[in-house]
Amino acid sequence: MHTSRRSRRSRRQLSTSGTLLALAGLLATAGCSASEPQQTASASSTDAPGGGPEAAATRVLEPLPEKVPAALEPYYEQKLSWRGCGVAGFECASLKVPLDYEKPGGGEDLKLAVSRKKATGPGKRIGSLLVNPGGPGGSAIGYLQSYAAIGYPEPVRARYDMVAVDPRGVARSEPVTCLSGKAMDAYTQVDITPDDGAETDALVASYKKFAEGCEQRSREVLGHVSTVESARDMDVLRQVLGDDKLNYVGASYGTFLGATYAGLHPQRVGRLVLDGAMDPSLPSLRMNRDQTAGFGTAFKSFAKDCVAREDCPLGRDGVADARKRLRAFLDRTDSDPVPTGESRELGEALATTGVIAAMYDEGAWPQLRTAIQSAMDGEGHGLLELADRYYERDEDGKYQNLMFANAAVNCLDLPPSFKGPGDVRKHVDSFREVSPVFGEGLAWAALNCAYWPVEATGEPNRIEAKGAAPIVVVGTTRDPATPYVWSRGLAEQLDSGTLLTYEGDGHTAYGRGSDCVDTAVNTYLLEGEAPKDGTR
């Protein structure tokens, strides 16, 4: 849940818009063993000295009272009216929740879109299994209907009603909107590595225009799309579905949503899987730099694979040389954009986004090699296509809600990393240090929340969820978007957390090719038996 303008979702959800990255990737299948987790180089693991602006929080998220307040009872007691929703086997409904939990009943309400696919059998039904693919801004319903309810293991689908709710502000649930398609095209092309005052002013102006657009088009909901509020919505849905406990699989940002639920309602935790975890105790600056380090680690893995192949566009002289070649190419696109065959050229911002998009899943590496080579040869369509799919831009130039909701939730959940360009300049070297290729751009991308029209309502909190049933946290050692150290951090905070480690590449691990991970998670979901903490 970062303040960069880039999405922080699970890339498996790209299937919801019919896009490129493979669901399974090319992961090698490996066995599991119980051992102590090892530190990886993907992110720093120590708090900033002296408890400064990058130090992990010591405050703990306090649980809500077990008894539902009287003012909220009508929401908890509502009956969903299920109907067909145009996709065979699925039902849809609308869930009513208060816009402001501090003013339930007396204020405005929101209608959240819900979808389910009933348990198919055989076997005794366990209950509902909510899923969320991440973001913030990813459509849980899109993920459910295109992947989870048809791609999760058959025994899981046999015994659970597969359910999704688009969080408030996302997709079908009162979506936040900010800019037109043409305005978004301009926004995604603004130089994010400014070389002088004029380029810095242009970048700041683009962030302000984006924020102003969100305020003008989504003023009513903009202050009420926080993760805490969405977690409370999930508890209403749990009760309405008739479940005493919440069973849940969340990926990427979905882990923050699930962990927040556990912190607020530990007594209602059923079987929770948090895959590709975020550490809720970290401030936004620390999180942005940690993630930048994660992308640096992911690029190293890509480059190591690339230079061993004859078709590598970055040469055959090792990782360091490949890194220099890519950085030099991106620098050239800053001043000399590459034609793409359409009105938009491939400048540095879009080229960088295209490369980053392929870091989420090693199954996309062959496509990335081809796209980089084509761009170096003067045809930038391949990288532009990767960037467009990352931003959820269709062929007609229309953008989905993802990037709007992403900023709205992130900027509400945590105070901004930077207050202005001067702050970025103070820290940009530390971003470059952890990722020479992406560091500068990701540092400047973290400036967007400085101009947000709504003040942040959240803050870093440790989540302990004392008294909760066992919670499984899954971490991938070379995850680009949610560095492994975050999974370790969350598992250590959770009173009942158990860490399952996948040694490999890509974002998240469940359902991506590891029999070891899948067997451990499936056993937990079906039998309630969590893997031994430290299993690798």
Side-chain angles (χ1 to χ4, degrees):
M1 72 156 263
H2 305 282
T3 54
S4 163
R5 68 180 179 182
R6 302 185 190 281
S7 167
R8 309 307 182 195
R9 59 186 176 152
S10 164
R11 301 323 289 181
R12 280 182 296 163
Q13 89 174 61
L14 277 172
S15 64
T16 68
S17 54
T19 46
L20 77 159
L21 301 186
L23 296 177
L26 301 174
L27 298 182
T29 299
C32 285
S33 64
S35 62
E36 286 300 313
Q38 301 171 6
Q39 177 60 37
T40 73
S42 64
S44 60
S45 61
T46 56
D47 295 342
E54 298 178 59
T58 57
R59 66 180 67 86
V60 176
L61 181 65
E62 295 295 331
L64 294 170
E66 290 193 38
K67 181 176 174 55
V68 175
L72 289 176
E73 287 180 356
Y75 299 97
Y76 277 80
E77 295 171 356
Q78 67 185 292
K79 303 296 183 183
L80 295 182
S81 178
W82 293 102
R83 61 190 184 279
C85 45
V87 182
F90 290 89
E91 298 175 303
C92 290
S94 294
L95 177 75
K96 186 172 70 172
V97 296
L99 173 68
D100 186 348
Y101 274 91
E102 299 303 315
K103 301 175 182 178
E108 298 181 43
D109 292 333
L110 296 176
K111 289 186 177 180
L112 306 184
V114 183
S115 183
R116 75 176 176 185
K117 189 174 190 291
K118 289 186 176 180
T120 58
K124 182 179 179 181
R125 177 183 175 277
I126 296 172
S128 302
L129 180 64
L130 267 68
V131 296
N132 184 285
S139 172
I141 291 177
Y143 175 71
L144 176 80
Q145 294 180 351
S146 68
Y147 174 67
I150 57 177
Y152 272 31
E154 192 277 333
V156 173
R157 294 182 282 116
R159 299 186 61 196
Y160 282 100
D161 291 344
M162 301 293 294
V163 181
V165 55
D166 278 348
R168 49 176 64 204
V170 174
R172 300 164 177 84
S173 295
E174 312 280 354
V176 172
T177 58
C178 300
L179 298 177
S180 67
K182 288 185 178 180
M184 270 299 289
D185 279 348
Y187 178 74
T188 60
Q189 295 179 76
V190 174
D191 187 356
I192 56 170
T193 56
D195 299 316
D196 53 35
E199 291 185 350
T200 300
D201 290 345
L203 180 59
V204 168
S206 76
Y207 288 142
K208 289 181 177 179
K209 182 176 181 179
F210 185 95
E212 290 167 359
C214 296
E215 183 178 29
Q216 291 170 3
R217 298 178 181 219
S218 303
R219 182 178 292 106
E220 293 79 7
V221 300
L222 212 56
H224 294 285
V225 293
S226 70
T227 297
V228 166
E229 290 164 308
S230 289
R232 298 189 70 173
D233 296 339
M234 289 203 305
D235 195 54
V236 175
L237 179 59
R238 172 202 58 78
Q239 178 66 35
V240 171
L241 291 171
D243 293 327
D244 293 331
K245 306 281 186 179
L246 179 78
N247 303 307
Y248 176 83
V249 177
S252 195
Y253 163 78
T255 67
F256 179 54
L257 184 57
T260 300
Y261 180 90
L264 296 175
H265 301 289
Q267 74 283 0
R268 296 174 191 159
V269 168
R271 301 171 188 179
L272 261 64
V273 178
L274 308 179
D275 183 13
M278 293 175 54
D279 184 341
S281 73
L282 301 181
S284 56
L285 173 56
R286 169 89 172 270
M287 296 190 81
N288 276 290
R289 189 162 59 209
D290 277 3
Q291 190 177 62
T292 299
F295 281 109
T297 297
F299 176 76
K300 182 177 180 180
S301 291
F302 164 73
K304 184 177 180 180
D305 176 81
C306 184
V307 298
R309 300 175 182 273
E310 292 185 1
D311 66 342
C312 181
L314 302 177
R316 305 288 300 279
D317 294 330
V319 171
D321 183 67
R323 183 185 295 121
K324 290 178 181 177
R325 287 174 183 247
L326 179 59
R327 187 62 258 170
F329 164 72
L330 294 174
D331 288 342
R332 288 197 301 274
T333 63
D334 187 15
S335 56
D336 188 17
V338 180
T340 63
E342 57 175 272
S343 60
R344 292 175 301 149
E345 293 181 312
L346 184 76
E348 182 185 4
L350 287 172
T352 301
T353 300
V355 175
I356 281 178
M359 293 296 100
Y360 282 83
D361 191 323
E362 65 274 32
W365 289 358
Q367 182 176 4
L368 178 60
R369 292 196 301 272
T370 299
I372 292 174
Q373 185 63 68
S374 294
M376 288 180 166
D377 292 340
E379 172 47 63
H381 179 74
L383 282 177
L384 180 64
E385 181 181 35
L386 284 166
D388 282 351
R389 292 179 178 181
Y390 188 88
Y391 282 129
E392 292 196 347
R393 180 190 190 274
D394 64 25
E395 293 181 355
D396 295 328
K398 297 179 180 178
Y399 288 78
Q400 299 299 313
N401 155 258
L402 171 67
M403 289 298 160
F404 308 141
N406 184 264
V409 176
N410 284 337
C411 295
L412 199 60
D413 275 349
L414 285 178
S417 298
F418 305 122
K419 294 181 179 180
D423 287 346
V424 180
R425 295 187 185 99
K426 292 177 183 177
H427 292 275
V428 69
D429 285 344
S430 66
F431 277 70
R432 286 196 195 97
E433 182 179 349
V434 297
S435 178
V437 175
F438 308 122
E440 183 178 1
L442 290 179
W444 283 101
L447 181 61
N448 68 330
C449 285
Y451 310 103
W452 201 244
V454 180
E455 187 174 351
T457 57
E459 59 185 0
N461 287 285
R462 288 176 55 81
I463 295 180
E464 297 180 352
K466 291 184 177 180
I471 299 172
V472 175
V473 179
V474 186
T476 298
T477 56
R478 294 185 294 279
D479 191 314
T482 51
Y484 177 64
V485 70
W486 291 356
S487 293
R488 289 184 58 192
L490 178 59
E492 290 169 358
Q493 289 168 48
L494 290 168
D495 190 54
S496 60
T498 181
L499 180 63
L500 175 64
T501 298
Y502 176 67
E503 296 190 23
D505 298 292
H507 185 35
T508 72
Y510 181 51
R512 296 190 67 248
S514 168
D515 285 345
C516 164
V517 170
D518 291 354
T519 298
V521 171
N522 295 338
T523 299
Y524 170 68
L525 290 175
L526 294 170
E527 301 176 16
E529 180 182 345
K532 182 179 179 181
D533 187 36
T535 298
R536 300 179 72 81

